[in-house]
Amino acid sequence: MERYAWRDGKIRLRLNPGDLAETGLSREALYAFGKEARDSLRQFLVTLQNRGELPAGELLVEVFPGEKGAVLQITPEIGVLCFFVRKTDEMLRLFPLAKGRGAALYRRKDGKGYYLICNEENAALFSEFAAPCQISGGVLKEACKRIL
């Protein structure tokens, strides 16, 4: 198992087929991601937390099965709710609502979309119009410009 972290603060675990077999998983099980795979993955992550290799508390885990193994992208769960808006037209529709609710709006410097940061009580409103995502504050500072 190879463990590494990037600037975005997410921990990535690269698991080869041997590592997957030790956890009781296979590539096919990760593709299907049934109850058995979820339980095995949960037990594996709890074991890593007990060893001190992962932060304590709730974790958000994204699973990327590949040709030879899998990559787990792990983020400690944070209270900030973020939504991704792909197109400028969609952002313009959300702008009055975001402004009225006190949400923060960021434009990606590479021009590939917008991030909307809001509190929990307004999340239900924005979830109808934008896709929820997880992003760290460091990425917002480095790769985005705040416009609202």
Side-chain angles (χ1 to χ4, degrees):
M1 175 177 68
E2 180 184 350
R3 181 185 188 276
Y4 55 97
W6 288 345
R7 297 187 295 195
D8 61 5
K10 294 179 182 176
I11 299 168
R12 285 152 178 100
L13 301 176
R14 185 177 303 277
L15 304 172
N16 61 36
D19 296 330
L20 287 174
E22 287 177 18
T23 63
L25 293 169
S26 66
R27 260 181 4 127
E28 294 75 24
L30 288 176
Y31 277 120
F33 209 65
K35 182 178 176 0
E36 184 178 312
R38 285 192 302 270
D39 291 343
S40 296
L41 185 60
R42 185 177 296 116
Q43 183 60 37
F44 174 65
L45 294 173
V46 167
T47 302
L48 291 178
Q49 281 182 317
N50 291 339
R51 284 193 225 156
E53 295 179 27
L54 293 177
E58 293 292 318
L59 300 174
L60 295 174
V61 180
E62 295 176 84
V63 180
F64 300 98
E67 289 183 23
K68 296 183 181 178
V71 173
L72 304 179
Q73 183 169 281
I74 302 165
T75 307
E77 190 170 40
I78 56 177
V80 176
L81 295 171
C82 184
F83 293 92
F84 180 71
V85 180
R86 187 173 310 277
K87 297 179 182 176
T88 304
D89 293 341
E90 295 170 354
M91 183 276 298
L92 290 173
R93 271 189 283 154
L94 280 176
F95 189 83
L97 181 61
K99 189 173 182 180
R101 297 293 180 158
L105 188 62
Y106 292 84
R107 178 181 52 86
R108 288 179 49 145
K109 290 180 181 176
D110 61 5
K112 294 185 180 178
Y114 302 87
Y115 293 111
L116 181 76
I117 311 296
C118 67
N119 56 21
E120 286 186 35
E121 64 187 40
N122 294 327
L125 294 172
F126 295 116
S127 64
E128 295 178 23
F129 305 103
C133 67
Q134 190 72 26
I135 190 165
S136 68
V139 172
L140 287 175
K141 289 178 186 175
E142 292 178 18
C144 300
K145 181 178 179 183
R146 187 168 178 168
I147 57 176
L148 177 63

